[in-house]
Amino acid sequence: MSNGGGASSSTHLLDFLEEPIPGVGTYDDFHTIDWVREKCKDRERHRKINSKKKESAWEFTKSLYDAWSGWLVVTLTGLASGALAGLIDIAADWMNDIKEGVCLSAMWFNHEQCCWTSNETTFAERDKCPQWKSWAELILGQAEGPGSYIMNYFMYIYWALSFAFLAVCLVKVFAPYACGSGIPEIKTILSGFIIRGYLGKWTLMIKTITLVLAVASGLSLGKEGPLVHVACCCGNIFSYLFPKYSKNEAKKREVLSAASAAGVSVAFGAPIGGVLFSLEEVSYYFPLKTLWRSFFAALVAAFVLRSINPFGNSRLVLFYVEYHTPWRRKSTRFGKYPVLEVILVAAITAVVAFPNPYTRQNTSELIKELFTDCGPLESSQLCQYRSQMNGSRAFTDNPNRPAGPGVYAAMWQLCLALIFKIIMTIFTFGLKVPSGLFIPSMAIGAIAGRIVGIAVEQLAYYHHDWFLFKEWCEVGVDCITPGLYAMVGAAACLGGVTRMTVSLVVIVFELTGGLEYIVPLMAAVMTSKWVGDAFGREGIYEAHIRLNGYPFLDAKEEFTHTTLAREVMRPRRSDPPLAVLTQDDLTVEELQAIINETSYNGFPVIVSKESQRLVGFALRRDITIAIENARRKQEGIVLNSRVYFTQHAPTLPADSPRPLKLRSILDMSPFTVTDHTPMEIVVDIFRKLGLRQCLVTHNGILLGIITKKNILEHLEEVKQQVEPLIEGH
Amino acid sequence: MSNGGGASSSTHLLDFLEEPIPGVGTYDDFHTIDWVREKCKDRERHRKINSKKKESAWEFTKSLYDAWSGWLVVTLTGLASGALAGLIDIAADWMNDIKEGVCLSAMWFNHEQCCWTSNETTFAERDKCPQWKSWAELILGQAEGPGSYIMNYFMYIYWALSFAFLAVCLVKVFAPYACGSGIPEIKTILSGFIIRGYLGKWTLMIKTITLVLAVASGLSLGKEGPLVHVACCCGNIFSYLFPKYSKNEAKKREVLSAASAAGVSVAFGAPIGGVLFSLEEVSYYFPLKTLWRSFFAALVAAFVLRSINPFGNSRLVLFYVEYHTPWRRKSTRFGKYPVLEVILVAAITAVVAFPNPYTRQNTSELIKELFTDCGPLESSQLCQYRSQMNGSRAFTDNPNRPAGPGVYAAMWQLCLALIFKIIMTIFTFGLKVPSGLFIPSMAIGAIAGRIVGIAVEQLAYYHHDWFLFKEWCEVGVDCITPGLYAMVGAAACLGGVTRMTVSLVVIVFELTGGLEYIVPLMAAVMTSKWVGDAFGREGIYEAHIRLNGYPFLDAKEEFTHTTLAREVMRPRRSDPPLAVLTQDDLTVEELQAIINETSYNGFPVIVSKESQRLVGFALRRDITIAIENARRKQEGIVLNSRVYFTQHAPTLPADSPRPLKLRSILDMSPFTVTDHTPMEIVVDIFRKLGLRQCLVTHNGILLGIITKKNILEHLEEVKQQVEPLIEGH
């Protein structure tokens, strides 16, 4: 190739430039990918492998590996997510119990496991097994009395603060991306944004460890949202084993969609709900093939988790539930001191939570208790009704149960717990530790629901002749189930926070396993969505995305304005003219000048300054790389060299330097719309095809450009002009 | 406006033409809709209503009605589908039993209801209640003996043939669209095709009646697929109550998507599965709002069905299951005589089915029996195991059960039933009666599965020391469940026929209600899909759509070829040049000549013959309507009038006739791609945006046009060139 020197304009010799230039076609950090280009790249790769596969056994094996890599990567992701979720469950459980005491027979047993090995078989005695020692028993040698209460209180706070401190320090020092739930960022990444390191191995490792610490510290946060992030990290890491996925940002996002389904699946033990969550809430581009693979990943993950689940729940992890997104407050004084902030919130949480049994216990267990109906085996305080008859069956079957002192006490404690949870959850959202919002919101809803349920039940008891209760409550049949009220409340609260609809109903349905509750659940979720929408149509993810300023084009919001493409395109009337490249009369120097003077990500290429007809589009990054590459590898390319994007080199004077052919980096099929195209269509095209930019023409003449950023700005503008209307539409 | 006469070229006076011309924007039968235009129309309507709503209370009420009409129409559709499904269930059940006998105490009771009223309470005696008389008992006066057997046999055939004859005659005379399952056509309609009357009230009425007759005739067909058609008819009819949906083909299809979910929901009692079916299998354009409404419609329908379900199944209609699509054989001799064909198939079915209990009974009941495991209360022949111990518990709990004579007899009958079902189902598919394929395929799979299950069970009993069984079968635990084999077989067979994946698993999961079976189900569905794909990637719907030649662009198939837009576009090299209109120098006569000489559905409008730059696109139908309208209503429009598509009229000689402005029918934002665009991108755009045509340009100059038909032809061409490759990709 070295004879390519000299000023010859022979295109033949220059054709080695048609070889892919390294770096062309990759993306910078915090940039948006080009879905169309990525999908074309993938099909090209696929065709290459297919055409080669008959050449040799090795090529055939490679093609098989390629064909099956999609299933392999989702299987691996499912396995890893399930295993990690199990690990996190066990560790968080153990550390949560460490706050209260240790198991003398085996340090690594949590409270429940410790007592399993003891021989106490009666239900009530189970919690008080001799092997399990509270800190007061260990240090002071006595289990009862105010001294030991204070000792236990102190140790509880000590451990809570230690865990919180460790968690926030680890996040701050090693992986700042590990904080929060990660769902808004994953949504943004899936829509085509690049955030390097957000799904890397460091984030995975630190997030796993700090998630355990954060949950164990007793902060009002959940582990379900972060589990989605953990699963996506697994998906991203495993996709590096397969060139099909590691080298293609669009294909990688298919894996991530499946991984997020696996994450929800292990968080709630709800594989179908996980797939619907991925479809409804998280994913942007979701082909049917991904639906099927997501379902598979979700099932594998749920299966693995069930296999390693040491508690033997047949329903996977029923009500070891919770999750979701953080809301980072941007303007608190403490925001600048994340460690101090975490310690402070953890301290307040620990101090206030300990005395109230409903706030001290694990939130997931609290939800489980609230959902559970009072049966004969239930020892909970919530079930201490005064029994009217003396038979044990009366406890279960009598529909009219007057509340006993236990229920009254529980009501007070629940009311206090409700206030505490609401306040602490608001303040915990934005802490710099892994934190989800799902369990806390469910807990708030469940507490409120249970309170209402018990109130209605007592109403029904004392006023059983009211026409309402008369119709509903047949004799001998349970007519009010406070547990169902709690479940409906939990779903409604979560629905209001996240604005999930179908996936939420399916998740709760899978958790509780009763088709018969679907109707009240659906009514509750629908009502809470409508009430929420009256205040603003954004769920907490969208709000978070907007607060962080991510370039996310929401597919759910409809664009209802009458603007045309020419009103949104750049340049605007007052702007300088559009920076364009002509196809064959620029020099390298002029090209570099244009690039240096502007900061655009790409430039339209036109036939000539006179005709302004559009030829194609070239990306800034590709031009820079191509010029550098040519000056390094091709002799004769000087500042004065002519740059051409055409198929054949322009005819040049004999003494002019060798020209530079850049056709290989020219996108010859840029998307165009006419200036009269309504913006609603343009927005639709951007959403459905995942475009980064679109050129605007009038009668074939280039007028301007619309980028994703322009669209987001325009959406913001029209939103401020017209006050948001509540539309059932 | 009458002063608009004379040859003035004043654009002002002509502007009343900007008013919508009646008929512009509607579609002919068997044409494809323009999704983009429909969606724009809807947003326009929405904006109008919104801007008016503050004017008066009446306008505000109208806007509320409009906003809520989406929920109203899906509620009505759900209610009607549920009610119709219940009606069909009851009627088909009653008519099915009429074939065997009548209830003397009340003619309108079916066998089961008849015996409910009797006082026989023991399980075994239930079937033999005194009020229920078989035909032999009624006519011959005796219940046993060969004479009465033959009498019953004869009456069975008589009724079967009568029902089949009535069904095929009704379909042939009143509503030819009522035959088959309707799912392929609904798929095509949802993708944007117009088939007038396919979802009309006549089709609904006749389909409902003939479906009952066809099911009752005992033909090997199911009612689940047709129920989807029935629900879609309801959706279509109710959408006429709401201008928002009746006047917009795109919005109407949202209602139809929801209706198809409601149809599956009532067919299987599986609301979530219905939504997923609508999403995975049927729908083309499925925004998230539709997901939520579909879910609602499915729930309402399931709820109504449960309320009127007279059999008191709490799980909605558990295993009153079946459905799917017909395959019309195009080349049988009998195909020309649909009535004869139906009678013949019905006669063979009736003659062969009667002697074998497994083919005589209702297919849904057969499936239910096959799925059911043998418990102590099960009186089925399939459960006649020899019990080793004498306790009644031994019947249930003993894992090793040797088959009794009943099981051996059942095995033979099942094998015969399997062969019969396979043959008859193949021949029943294409009959001109409403017919679904779901139940017959499930029955075939369930029979095969049960046979395998019993065989494995007996193997495990006689060879319980084989290493396989040794590991699995712990002592005292049921290790082989033949019912589960039947269930897995049913899912696998159905999966192979329809290539449904997630929705099938969810439907079967909702039918059986056990998360624990999801893994074997999924493995079976996956395997059957892979095996099926090895023979050809099309499910039965797609095959049917292809056979009927509907213009359906499948979203599931990936386009993997390297052709460019210029290779597919028309005109091809040998073709005459593209028929185009110039924007301001045609006369009405020339325009009419172009329209009459060609048969294209639309024409690109260009600046001038010289520059060939693209201005817009005008539809043939709109041009014809606009010219007719102008010649009728506007004075001075003669053959010699100049036609212009520009904003301002061209300057004309003073004596020229009044020009005709057609800008209002010009689509000024036609979709364009460059000639270098890879066809994979073009296909993607067509699918995602639902285009009808796309113009091809090169450097801003119009080159040609690509229509949906061109793309389908191209797909067919490349498929024939390259033999289909089995790609796990």
Side-chain angles (χ1 to χ4, degrees):
Chain A
M1 290 289 171
S2 60
N3 62 352
S8 126
S9 66
S10 143
T11 54
H12 181 75
L13 288 177
L14 290 169
D15 261 0
F16 73 96
L17 252 186
E18 305 276 348
E19 293 276 304
I21 302 164
V24 165
T26 59
Y27 302 95
D28 284 326
D29 201 3
F30 294 106
H31 274 67
T32 305
I33 69 165
D34 186 334
W35 287 89
V36 177
R37 187 162 76 163
E38 293 296 302
K39 276 185 267 174
C40 287
K41 255 169 63 184
D42 179 60
R43 291 195 192 111
E44 184 54 42
R45 187 199 51 73
H46 187 61
R47 274 192 292 267
K48 257 189 204 154
I49 289 175
N50 253 343
S51 64
K52 269 193 203 163
K53 79 174 176 192
K54 279 168 192 157
E55 286 173 12
S56 69
W58 171 239
E59 291 292 342
F60 187 73
T61 319
K62 260 168 66 180
S63 83
L64 270 188
Y65 177 74
D66 182 79
W68 284 91
S69 59
W71 289 101
L72 267 175
V73 69
V74 295
T75 313
L76 288 172
T77 306
L79 288 172
S81 324
L84 278 176
L87 205 74
I88 290 170
D89 272 4
I90 295 169
D93 236 43
W94 179 75
M95 291 182 72
N96 201 34
D97 287 350
I98 277 288
K99 287 189 300 189
E100 298 185 9
V102 281
C103 188
L104 283 191
S105 57
M107 274 290 286
W108 56 91
F109 276 0
N110 67 12
H111 192 164
E112 201 178 345
Q113 288 164 318
C114 189
C115 295
W116 271 353
T117 56
S118 94
N119 291 325
E120 313 288 339
T121 47
T122 63
F123 210 81
E125 287 293 294
R126 244 197 184 164
D127 278 3
K128 291 166 193 154
C129 53
Q131 289 90 334
W132 181 261
K133 298 280 180 212
S134 72
W135 290 109
E137 280 178 276
L138 274 180
I139 298 170
L140 304 179
Q142 62 184 63
E144 305 287 326
S148 63
Y149 183 83
I150 289 168
M151 189 68 210
N152 278 336
Y153 201 166
F154 172 78
M155 288 306 289
Y156 184 91
I157 294 171
Y158 167 76
W159 284 115
L161 289 187
S162 311
F163 294 156
F165 179 73
L166 197 56
V168 71
C169 288
L170 281 174
V171 167
K172 200 176 148 69
V173 175
F174 292 106
Y177 282 149
C179 70
S181 82
I183 292 181
E185 284 81 8
I186 288 168
K187 247 184 114 154
T188 313
I189 289 174
L190 283 174
S191 84
F193 200 55
I194 300 223
I195 310 180
R196 293 209 192 289
Y198 198 83
L199 301 173
K201 53 186 181 307
W202 270 107
T203 309
L204 174 63
M205 213 156 60
I206 297 299
K207 185 129 196 174
T208 309
I209 297 168
T210 53
L211 181 56
V212 171
L213 290 167
V215 169
S217 76
L219 280 166
S220 180
L221 47 80
K223 67 174 191 310
E224 278 66 15
L227 273 180
V228 175
H229 188 178
V230 166
C232 283
C233 288
C234 294
N236 181 50
I237 290 167
F238 283 120
S239 75
Y240 279 102
L241 298 179
F242 305 92
K244 182 175 180 178
Y245 293 98
S246 62
K247 289 190 181 153
N248 194 301
E249 293 291 339
K251 295 296 282 181
K252 195 187 278 171
R253 276 156 184 76
E254 288 180 14
V255 177
L256 294 182
S257 285
S260 69
V264 175
S265 167
V266 290
F268 296 97
I272 303 173
V275 175
L276 284 175
F277 175 83
S278 175
L279 170 68
E280 184 188 357
E281 199 58 36
V282 185
S283 294
Y284 197 83
Y285 165 67
F286 202 89
L288 279 171
K289 208 163 57 187
T290 308
L291 185 73
W292 189 218
R293 289 204 187 137
S294 301
F295 193 49
F296 184 71
L299 267 184
V300 170
F303 204 71
V304 169
L305 178 58
R306 173 150 66 164
S307 314
I308 59 171
N309 181 18
F311 311 112
N313 275 342
S314 79
R315 274 202 171 273
L316 307 166
V317 277
L318 183 60
F319 294 129
Y320 215 79
V321 279
E322 120 196 313
Y323 80 67
H324 280 203
T325 64
W327 186 316
R328 302 229 174 88
R329 299 175 315 286
K330 291 204 152 168
S331 52
T332 60
R333 186 181 289 177
F334 292 114
K336 293 175 198 152
Y337 310 101
V339 179
L340 184 66
E341 192 187 34
V342 170
I343 296 294
L344 201 74
V345 174
I348 296 173
T349 309
V351 168
V352 181
F354 186 83
N356 187 335
Y358 293 109
T359 50
R360 183 175 8 166
Q361 81 183 120
N362 190 312
T363 318
S364 326
E365 278 163 25
L366 168 65
I367 294 175
K368 197 171 180 175
E369 189 179 331
L370 291 170
F371 280 19
T372 311
D373 232 31
C374 294
L377 282 173
E378 209 51 61
S379 62
S380 152
Q381 192 191 19
L382 276 169
C383 295
Q384 290 176 10
Y385 290 91
R386 277 188 283 133
S387 81
Q388 290 177 295
M389 289 174 261
N390 292 325
S392 69
R393 278 184 58 81
F395 212 162
T396 338
D397 292 349
N398 184 10
N400 299 318
R401 292 178 296 185
V407 175
Y408 283 118
M411 284 287 270
W412 275 114
Q413 287 168 352
L414 280 181
C415 286
L416 289 175
L418 178 63
I419 296 165
F420 167 77
K421 283 271 175 199
I422 292 176
I423 294 171
M424 290 323 292
T425 305
I426 292 171
F427 283 98
T428 310
F429 282 176
L431 295 185
K432 294 279 175 215
V433 289
S435 66
L437 181 58
F438 214 155
I439 279 288
S441 346
M442 279 181 88
I444 292 170
I447 295 174
R450 187 82 187 205
I451 292 174
V452 172
I454 294 177
V456 173
E457 187 193 38
Q458 293 307 311
L459 264 184
Y461 173 70
Y462 288 109
H463 304 276
H464 47 80
D465 45 355
W466 278 13
F467 77 103
L468 255 180
F469 299 123
K470 230 175 190 168
E471 255 177 47
W472 286 349
C473 302
E474 291 171 45
V475 179
V477 181
D478 238 0
C479 67
I480 309 286
T481 354
L484 180 61
Y485 280 76
M487 195 171 85
V488 168
C493 186
L494 190 52
V497 171
T498 62
R499 309 289 158 80
M500 287 159 67
T501 55
V502 182
S503 52
L504 176 59
V505 173
V506 174
I507 287 174
V508 180
F509 154 65
E510 281 189 87
L511 280 173
T512 55
L515 256 182
E516 54 270 44
Y517 303 129
I518 267 194
V519 175
L521 275 178
M522 192 162 165
V525 171
M526 225 161 183
T527 314
S528 79
K529 186 174 154 61
W530 283 334
V531 171
D533 282 354
F535 290 98
R537 307 207 84 174
E538 278 175 330
I540 196 148
Y541 304 131
E542 285 80 33
H544 190 112
I545 287 172
R546 192 172 44 78
L547 277 179
N548 283 3
Y550 295 134
F552 182 77
L553 196 53
D554 195 352
K556 281 179 216 164
E557 241 175 294
E558 265 195 56
F559 183 84
T560 51
H561 303 278
T562 46
T563 39
L564 296 179
R566 64 175 160 192
E567 296 164 55
V568 179
M569 74 178 190
R570 301 294 186 273
R572 297 199 156 173
R573 242 163 239 180
S574 52
D575 291 346
L578 191 66
V580 292
L581 311 177
T582 45
Q583 66 175 353
D584 58 3
D585 59 5
L586 283 177
T587 62
V588 170
E589 192 175 12
E590 284 163 341
L591 182 58
Q592 280 182 327
I594 293 175
I595 288 177
N596 293 336
E597 279 160 22
T598 60
S599 58
Y600 305 124
N601 283 322
F603 303 90
V605 177
I606 55 176
V607 173
S608 65
K609 284 277 180 202
E610 296 75 45
S611 86
Q612 293 275 346
R613 283 186 287 123
L614 181 69
V615 174
F617 193 79
L619 289 173
R620 175 199 199 84
R621 186 180 159 90
D622 291 353
I623 296 174
T624 321
I625 293 174
I627 292 179
E628 267 173 30
N629 189 64
R631 300 196 69 169
R632 219 174 41 238
K633 292 200 183 156
Q634 280 177 275
E635 281 176 54
I637 299 294
V638 290
L639 281 182
N640 219 13
S641 294
R642 192 77 80 89
V643 172
Y644 66 103
F645 291 96
T646 48
Q647 183 65 47
H648 303 287
T651 44
L652 297 172
D655 58 341
S656 52
R658 177 178 165 176
L660 174 59
K661 186 177 184 181
L662 288 185
R663 193 176 178 82
S664 66
I665 61 158
L666 180 68
D667 174 8
M668 279 179 299
S669 52
F671 279 86
T672 56
V673 292
T674 66
D675 56 340
H676 274 90
T677 312
M679 270 312 285
E680 49 201 18
I681 295 182
V682 179
V683 171
D684 229 44
I685 300 176
F686 266 80
R687 274 178 193 152
K688 289 199 175 141
L689 303 176
L691 296 190
R692 288 198 295 187
Q693 72 276 319
C694 181
L695 299 169
V696 182
T697 60
H698 175 77
N699 293 3
I701 303 290
L702 177 69
L703 280 192
I705 188 170
I706 297 179
T707 64
K708 197 167 172 182
K709 214 174 125 199
N710 300 146
I711 290 187
L712 289 167
E713 282 168 8
H714 180 67
L715 287 175
E716 218 34 62
E717 269 169 36
V718 292
K719 203 182 260 168
Q720 279 163 7
Q721 280 167 18
V722 189
E723 270 306 299
L725 299 161
I726 304 147
E727 298 155 339
H729 165 72
Chain B
M1 290 290 171
S2 59
N3 63 350
S8 127
S9 65
S10 143
T11 53
H12 181 76
L13 289 174
L14 291 169
D15 263 1
F16 74 96
L17 252 185
E18 305 277 348
E19 293 277 303
I21 302 164
V24 165
T26 59
Y27 302 95
D28 284 325
D29 202 2
F30 293 106
H31 274 68
T32 306
I33 69 165
D34 185 334
W35 287 89
V36 177
R37 186 163 76 162
E38 293 297 302
K39 276 184 268 173
C40 286
K41 256 170 59 184
D42 178 60
R43 290 193 194 113
E44 184 56 42
R45 187 199 50 74
H46 186 63
R47 273 192 294 269
K48 256 188 205 158
I49 289 174
N50 253 341
S51 63
K52 269 194 205 163
K53 79 175 174 192
K54 279 168 193 157
E55 287 173 13
S56 68
W58 171 239
E59 292 292 341
F60 186 73
T61 318
K62 259 166 70 180
S63 83
L64 270 187
Y65 177 73
D66 182 78
W68 284 91
S69 60
W71 288 102
L72 267 174
V73 69
V74 296
T75 312
L76 288 172
T77 307
L79 288 172
S81 326
L84 278 176
L87 205 73
I88 291 170
D89 272 5
I90 294 170
D93 236 45
W94 179 76
M95 291 183 70
N96 202 34
D97 287 349
I98 277 288
K99 287 190 300 191
E100 299 185 9
V102 280
C103 189
L104 283 193
S105 57
M107 275 290 286
W108 56 91
F109 276 178
N110 68 10
H111 194 163
E112 201 177 345
Q113 288 165 318
C114 188
C115 296
W116 270 352
T117 55
S118 93
N119 292 324
E120 313 288 337
T121 47
T122 64
F123 212 81
E125 286 292 295
R126 247 199 182 161
D127 278 2
K128 292 166 191 153
C129 53
Q131 289 91 333
W132 181 259
K133 297 281 180 213
S134 72
W135 289 109
E137 280 177 277
L138 272 181
I139 298 168
L140 304 178
Q142 59 184 63
E144 306 286 325
S148 64
Y149 184 84
I150 290 168
M151 188 69 211
N152 278 335
Y153 201 166
F154 171 77
M155 287 306 288
Y156 184 91
I157 294 170
Y158 166 77
W159 284 114
L161 289 187
S162 311
F163 294 157
F165 178 73
L166 197 57
V168 72
C169 287
L170 281 175
V171 166
K172 200 174 148 68
V173 175
F174 292 106
Y177 283 150
C179 71
S181 82
I183 292 181
E185 285 81 8
I186 289 168
K187 248 183 113 155
T188 313
I189 289 174
L190 282 174
S191 84
F193 199 57
I194 299 223
I195 311 181
R196 291 209 193 289
Y198 198 84
L199 301 173
K201 54 185 180 307
W202 271 106
T203 310
L204 173 63
M205 214 156 60
I206 297 299
K207 186 130 196 173
T208 309
I209 296 168
T210 54
L211 181 56
V212 171
L213 289 168
V215 169
S217 76
L219 281 165
S220 181
L221 49 79
K223 68 175 190 310
E224 279 66 17
L227 272 181
V228 175
H229 188 177
V230 166
C232 283
C233 287
C234 294
N236 181 49
I237 290 168
F238 283 119
S239 75
Y240 279 103
L241 298 180
F242 305 91
K244 182 175 179 177
Y245 293 98
S246 62
K247 291 193 180 149
N248 194 301
E249 294 291 339
K251 295 296 281 182
K252 195 188 276 173
R253 277 158 181 76
E254 288 180 16
V255 177
L256 295 182
S257 286
S260 69
V264 176
S265 167
V266 290
F268 297 97
I272 303 173
V275 175
L276 285 176
F277 174 83
S278 175
L279 171 69
E280 183 187 358
E281 198 57 35
V282 185
S283 294
Y284 196 84
Y285 165 67
F286 203 89
L288 278 171
K289 207 164 57 187
T290 308
L291 184 74
W292 188 217
R293 288 202 188 138
S294 301
F295 193 50
F296 184 72
L299 267 184
V300 169
F303 203 72
V304 170
L305 178 59
R306 172 148 66 162
S307 313
I308 60 170
N309 181 17
F311 310 113
N313 275 341
S314 80
R315 276 203 169 273
L316 307 167
V317 277
L318 183 61
F319 293 129
Y320 214 79
V321 277
E322 117 198 316
Y323 80 65
H324 281 203
T325 65
W327 185 313
R328 299 227 176 88
R329 299 176 316 284
K330 291 203 155 171
S331 54
T332 59
R333 186 179 291 178
F334 291 114
K336 293 176 200 152
Y337 310 101
V339 178
L340 184 67
E341 192 186 33
V342 169
I343 296 294
L344 200 74
V345 174
I348 298 173
T349 308
V351 169
V352 181
F354 186 83
N356 187 334
Y358 293 109
T359 51
R360 185 178 2 168
Q361 81 184 122
N362 190 314
T363 319
S364 326
E365 277 163 25
L366 168 66
I367 294 176
K368 196 170 180 175
E369 188 179 332
L370 292 170
F371 280 19
T372 310
D373 232 32
C374 295
L377 282 174
E378 209 50 61
S379 61
S380 153
Q381 193 189 18
L382 276 169
C383 294
Q384 289 177 9
Y385 290 92
R386 277 188 284 134
S387 83
Q388 291 177 294
M389 288 173 263
N390 291 325
S392 68
R393 278 183 58 81
F395 211 163
T396 339
D397 292 349
N398 184 12
N400 299 318
R401 292 178 297 183
V407 175
Y408 283 118
M411 284 288 270
W412 275 114
Q413 287 169 352
L414 279 182
C415 287
L416 289 175
L418 180 62
I419 296 165
F420 167 77
K421 284 270 174 198
I422 291 175
I423 295 172
M424 290 322 293
T425 305
I426 292 171
F427 283 99
T428 311
F429 282 177
L431 296 185
K432 293 279 174 219
V433 288
S435 66
L437 180 59
F438 214 154
I439 278 289
S441 349
M442 279 182 86
I444 292 170
I447 295 173
R450 186 79 187 207
I451 293 173
V452 173
I454 293 177
V456 173
E457 187 194 38
Q458 294 307 312
L459 264 184
Y461 174 69
Y462 288 109
H463 305 276
H464 46 80
D465 45 354
W466 279 12
F467 77 103
L468 255 181
F469 299 124
K470 229 175 193 170
E471 251 177 50
W472 286 350
C473 302
E474 290 172 47
V475 178
V477 180
D478 238 0
C479 68
I480 310 285
T481 354
L484 181 60
Y485 281 76
M487 195 171 86
V488 169
C493 186
L494 190 53
V497 171
T498 62
R499 309 290 158 80
M500 285 158 68
T501 54
V502 181
S503 51
L504 177 59
V505 174
V506 173
I507 286 174
V508 180
F509 153 67
E510 281 189 89
L511 281 173
T512 56
L515 255 183
E516 53 268 45
Y517 302 129
I518 266 194
V519 175
L521 275 178
M522 195 164 161
V525 171
M526 227 159 179
T527 314
S528 78
K529 186 176 154 59
W530 283 333
V531 171
D533 282 355
F535 290 98
R537 310 208 83 177
E538 276 176 332
I540 195 148
Y541 304 131
E542 284 82 32
H544 191 112
I545 286 173
R546 195 171 42 78
L547 278 178
N548 283 4
Y550 295 133
F552 182 76
L553 196 54
D554 196 352
K556 281 179 216 166
E557 242 175 295
E558 264 195 57
F559 182 84
T560 51
H561 304 277
T562 47
T563 39
L564 297 180
R566 63 175 163 197
E567 297 165 54
V568 179
M569 74 178 189
R570 301 294 186 275
R572 296 198 157 173
R573 244 165 236 180
S574 51
D575 292 346
L578 190 66
V580 293
L581 311 178
T582 45
Q583 64 176 355
D584 56 4
D585 57 7
L586 283 177
T587 62
V588 170
E589 192 176 11
E590 285 164 342
L591 182 58
Q592 280 181 327
I594 293 174
I595 287 178
N596 292 336
E597 279 160 22
T598 59
S599 59
Y600 306 123
N601 283 323
F603 304 89
V605 176
I606 55 176
V607 172
S608 63
K609 284 278 178 203
E610 296 74 45
S611 87
Q612 294 275 345
R613 283 185 286 123
L614 180 69
V615 175
F617 193 79
L619 290 174
R620 176 199 198 83
R621 185 180 161 88
D622 291 354
I623 296 174
T624 319
I625 293 174
I627 291 179
E628 266 172 32
N629 190 64
R631 297 195 72 168
R632 216 173 44 239
K633 291 198 183 159
Q634 281 177 274
E635 280 177 55
I637 300 293
V638 290
L639 282 181
N640 216 16
S641 293
R642 194 74 82 85
V643 172
Y644 67 103
F645 292 95
T646 47
Q647 182 65 47
H648 301 289
T651 44
L652 298 172
D655 58 341
S656 52
R658 178 179 162 172
L660 173 60
K661 186 176 185 182
L662 288 183
R663 192 175 180 82
S664 65
I665 61 157
L666 180 69
D667 175 9
M668 280 180 297
S669 52
F671 279 86
T672 56
V673 293
T674 67
D675 56 340
H676 274 91
T677 312
M679 271 312 286
E680 49 201 17
I681 294 182
V682 178
V683 171
D684 229 42
I685 299 177
F686 266 79
R687 274 178 193 153
K688 290 198 175 142
L689 302 177
L691 296 190
R692 286 198 297 187
Q693 72 275 319
C694 182
L695 299 169
V696 182
T697 60
H698 175 78
N699 291 5
I701 303 290
L702 177 69
L703 281 190
I705 188 170
I706 297 179
T707 65
K708 197 167 171 181
K709 215 175 125 197
N710 300 145
I711 289 187
L712 288 167
E713 281 167 10
H714 180 67
L715 286 175
E716 219 33 63
E717 270 170 36
V718 292
K719 201 181 262 170
Q720 278 162 10
Q721 280 166 19
V722 189
E723 271 305 299
L725 299 161
I726 303 149
E727 299 155 339
H729 165 74

